[in-house]
Amino acid sequence: MQAATTNRGLLFGLLAAFFWGMHSVIVRYLTSDMGGLQIAVMRLFIAAAAIYVILRVLGAGVSINLRDWNFRLAVLSTVVNYIFFHIGLERTGAANAMVLENTAPIFVLIFLYFFAKAPVGWRDLLATAIAVTGVALTVLPDFQTGGTRFTGDLLEIAAGLSWAVFLISSSRAMQETSSTPERLNFLFGIFLCAGILMVPLGLIDPVMPSARDGLFLILLGVLPTALAYYLWYEAAARVSTLSATLMFALSVVFTFVNAGLFLGAEITGAGLIGAAMIVLAVILTSVSKAE
């Protein structure tokens, strides 16, 4: 029974990674017309609307538990993450953004060690070293040239740090839930509250989206936001925090493919090696904890 639950969680996580692999590419496309913060706000409200519709279709009540500290932390980390991620993506490539945001599992490990007093072994330290090397390889060309792209890379690393806080708070909250409506309500609350908090930022230099932009905004809000987060929440309810974090790292692979196919982005050998090293690092971390 436990094995079946875990396997179902892994399947949900893989599907979430697939949809997450689209979001950097769609946002990068939209930033050619719109500001990153405006995209972030509209994305959150569209995602909240999608989750609300699902709840009503299921006949479930809609509620937000503002007293839950995991919920508050998830909302705050979402706001911070979206600010860094969307502004950073205006200054760097989609593939770089996704790879650097995938430093989150390493931050998760650090947070769990210092704040949850979880043991850290040699394999965890090796994983950290591999991940840091992978990040260095990914940003090396931008570091050598400096300028805007390197600034974007730094912002994406900051996004990875805030994403780690989101992963921990959300994973712990999901492990305490027992039904899909509970998880959907938690997610609905995050999207709605984060969107409201970000409205003032989204009103800075707003741009009227074109019909094509509107279509991509809907796709962004529904697929790599509402659907991907929901699938990951279903996964997080069934596996450990570190395993759930590892699943997010798989989205790197899909991002590289999508960036090459739809944006014509040049995927460098160093970038591919860097991405592979980050994924290897979180695999080592996950294996270490499983043992």
Side-chain angles (χ1 to χ4, degrees), residues 188-202:
F188 169 74
I190 289 176
F191 290 148
L192 181 62
C193 293
I196 292 173
L197 290 174
M198 289 191 66
V199 164
L201 296 175

Side-chain angles (χ1 to χ4, degrees), residues 270-287:
L272 287 172
I273 294 173
M277 292 181 75
I278 292 174
V279 173
L280 173 61
V282 293
I283 289 175
L284 284 173
T285 300
S286 180
V287 169

Side-chain angles (χ1 to χ4, degrees), residues 65-102:
N65 185 7
L66 296 175
R67 296 181 179 180
D68 184 350
W69 275 103
N70 282 322
F71 175 79
R72 295 179 186 180
L73 197 56
V75 170
L76 178 60
S77 57
T78 297
V79 171
V80 175
N81 174 265
Y82 272 47
I83 291 173
F84 284 131
F85 177 80
H86 287 81
I87 294 179
L89 197 51
E90 291 181 287
R91 295 163 171 78
T92 190
N96 266 32
M98 204 62 190
V99 170
L100 295 174
E101 197 178 28
N102 270 279

Side-chain angles (χ1 to χ4, degrees), residues 27-253:
V27 173
R28 192 69 187 89
Y29 166 79
L30 287 170
T31 53
S32 61
D33 296 329
M34 305 169 61
L37 293 176
Q38 182 185 4
I39 294 170
V41 173
M42 297 181 74
R43 170 188 182 183
L44 285 166
F45 282 125
I46 292 171
I51 297 297
Y52 178 81
V53 170
I54 294 174
L55 282 167
R56 302 313 296 167
V57 169
L58 292 176
V62 179
S63 63
I64 300 175
N65 185 7
L66 296 175
R67 296 181 179 180
D68 184 350
W69 275 103
N70 282 322
F71 175 79
R72 295 179 186 180
L73 197 56
V75 170
L76 178 60
S77 57
T78 297
V79 171
V80 175
N81 174 265
Y82 272 47
I83 291 173
F84 284 131
F85 177 80
H86 287 81
I87 294 179
L89 197 51
E90 291 181 287
R91 295 163 171 78
T92 190
N96 266 32
M98 204 62 190
V99 170
L100 295 174
E101 197 178 28
N102 270 279
T103 54
I106 303 305
F107 293 126
V108 167
L109 175 65
I110 293 171
F111 290 156
L112 290 178
Y113 174 71
F114 284 104
F115 299 106
K117 305 303 180 183
V120 174
W122 68 267
R123 192 171 293 176
D124 299 321
L125 296 175
L126 176 61
T128 302
I130 292 174
V132 170
T133 304
V135 171
L137 283 173
T138 303
V139 303
L140 181 60
D142 295 343
F143 179 77
Q144 291 173 332
T145 57
T148 302
R149 283 184 65 90
F150 182 58
T151 301
D153 290 343
L154 291 178
L155 289 171
E156 294 304 339
I157 292 175
L161 177 60
S162 58
W163 186 245
V165 177
F166 173 85
L167 292 173
I168 292 174
S169 57
S170 293
S171 179
R172 290 186 170 183
M174 290 306 99
Q175 289 168 14
E176 297 175 359
T177 61
S178 58
S179 68
T180 294
E182 284 183 83
R183 294 186 274 276
L184 286 171
N185 268 301
F186 190 90
L187 190 55
F188 169 74
I190 289 176
F191 290 148
L192 181 62
C193 293
I196 292 173
L197 290 174
M198 289 191 66
V199 164
L201 296 175
L203 293 177
I204 298 175
D205 193 25
V207 175
M208 179 62 68
S210 65
R212 187 177 179 86
D213 290 337
L215 174 61
F216 278 100
L217 280 169
I218 293 173
L219 288 175
L220 178 66
V222 174
L223 295 181
T225 310
L227 181 57
Y229 278 67
Y230 162 68
L231 289 168
W232 185 81
Y233 269 23
E234 289 292 334
R238 294 168 170 81
V239 299
S240 69
T241 299
L242 283 169
S243 294
T245 303
L246 168 62
M247 295 172 198
F248 171 70
L250 296 176
S251 59
V252 168
V253 178

